[in-house]
Amino acid sequence: MKLLRILVFFLYSTLTQAIDTHQFHNAQQQADYQSLITELRCLVCQNQTIGDSNAPLAADLREQIYQMLQTGKTKAEILQFMTERYGDFVLYKPPFNSVTSLLWLAPVLFLLTGIIVVFVIIRRKNQTTAIDEQKLAQARALLNKE
Amino acid sequence: MLKFLIPLILFLVMAVFLAIGLQRDPSHIPSPLINKPAPVFSAPKLTAPQESLSPKDLHGQVWLLNVWASWCSTCREEHPVLNLLAQQQVTLIGLNYKDKAEDAFAWLQQGGDPYRISIMDNNGKIGIDWGVYGVPETFVIDKKGIVRYKHIGALTFESIQQTLLPLIAQLQSETP
């Protein structure tokens, strides 16, 4: 039973974020590193950031970012470095440009279309048709007969 | 009449987009290097580590850069195709990615060496410059040193007949 508990403990200890030990010159560099590794996509495990991924490429890219920060590169320079080599897909949050504008705007457009359709349908239902006077007189006559 | 046409038209439009989308592999990332100069490197040769090779040494000819490793099982599938390319006199440069020299030698001895020259990228830095994210990958570079095509994954006999060999023939006819 104790062995089982120890084994379960080891199982859980593998479910952590990829851990590297890096020494930074200052707090700004560390903050930049932390934000960069959550902004770049791991291209092997494409639904994870390179901060979360255990793939060897993710480790290489984290090391690359660390080295670049050490030599004084800015966040913008590092992001440009990555997109030059891997394309816009490496950015976890897609940039807003002519190609991706539809991707960003589609949910809003769908919502607006839905609201407009609902309005039109409700308005149509509430419209009463013009009363035909002759038919109304006929109906009254029939009702009064009884 | 229109009331019945609109859903039909919407469906047809969606069907077209789905048909296009289902034929694509979403995990394949298009390379931003296409039509840009080949990233510069100076890599040691596998057979002679004191010598190095860089893209400018290959200026004036059409060449392929094949990223491979001895630990990569998919590369085994690709090997007979590479041997065929070598027979066709295609200049194949092998980038041995994140590998050990002795493992690379053993692999080439086992399966044959289709590469004109093999170069080493033990720490993967050259791979990062070329946007390598999965092995094997193959790049086609023209006589001016511009990257013209990237094939992701293992090469197949079909893909080289349909795409690669015609492209190489076309690039051969261009002036350097």
Side-chain angles (χ1 to χ4, degrees), chain A residues 65-92:
Chain A
I65 293 173
Y66 173 68
Q67 297 292 344
M68 290 181 82
L69 284 170
Q70 292 286 80
T71 57
K73 296 271 187 295
T74 63
K75 257 187 73 175
E77 284 171 328
I78 295 176
L79 286 173
Q80 192 191 349
F81 177 92
M82 291 297 172
T83 49
E84 268 171 16
R85 283 150 182 76
Y86 290 100
D88 282 340
F89 192 62
V90 77
L91 300 171
Y92 210 58

Side-chain angles (χ1 to χ4, degrees), chain A:
Chain A
M1 195 57 205
K2 199 166 170 193
L3 179 64
L4 183 65
R5 271 196 219 141
I6 293 172
L7 288 176
V8 169
F9 170 77
F10 277 118
L11 174 67
Y12 276 107
S13 67
T14 60
L15 299 176
T16 54
Q17 190 191 59
I19 295 175
D20 305 309
T21 49
H22 283 135
Q23 303 274 51
F24 293 98
H25 289 318
N26 55 46
Q28 177 61 42
Q29 270 191 359
Q30 180 155 23
D32 283 347
Y33 179 81
Q34 286 300 330
S35 83
L36 278 170
I37 63 174
T38 59
E39 283 177 48
L40 290 169
R41 185 191 305 268
C42 172
L43 298 144
V44 179
C45 316
Q46 290 174 358
N47 285 324
Q48 288 183 309
T49 62
I50 57 175
D52 291 332
S53 173
N54 283 320
L57 179 64
D60 287 348
L61 290 176
R62 286 196 298 270
E63 184 62 34
Q64 179 77 27
I65 293 173
Y66 173 68
Q67 297 292 344
M68 290 181 82
L69 284 170
Q70 292 286 80
T71 57
K73 296 271 187 295
T74 63
K75 257 187 73 175
E77 284 171 328
I78 295 176
L79 286 173
Q80 192 191 349
F81 177 92
M82 291 297 172
T83 49
E84 268 171 16
R85 283 150 182 76
Y86 290 100
D88 282 340
F89 192 62
V90 77
L91 300 171
Y92 210 58
K93 194 159 103 169
F96 190 89
N97 56 38
S98 54
V99 175
T100 60
S101 56
L102 195 59
L103 174 70
W104 279 105
L105 294 174
V108 176
L109 287 174
F110 273 120
L111 185 65
L112 281 176
T113 311
I115 292 175
I116 291 171
V117 166
V118 166
F119 265 125
V120 167
I121 289 177
I122 289 179
R123 191 141 21 112
R124 245 187 241 161
K125 275 216 177 134
N126 286 341
Q127 266 174 0
T128 46
T129 48
I131 296 177
D132 186 335
E133 287 297 334
Q134 197 184 19
K135 289 239 166 89
L136 183 60
Q138 271 183 326
R140 285 225 181 89
L142 284 168
L143 285 169
N144 286 337
K145 256 198 206 162
E146 290 172 7

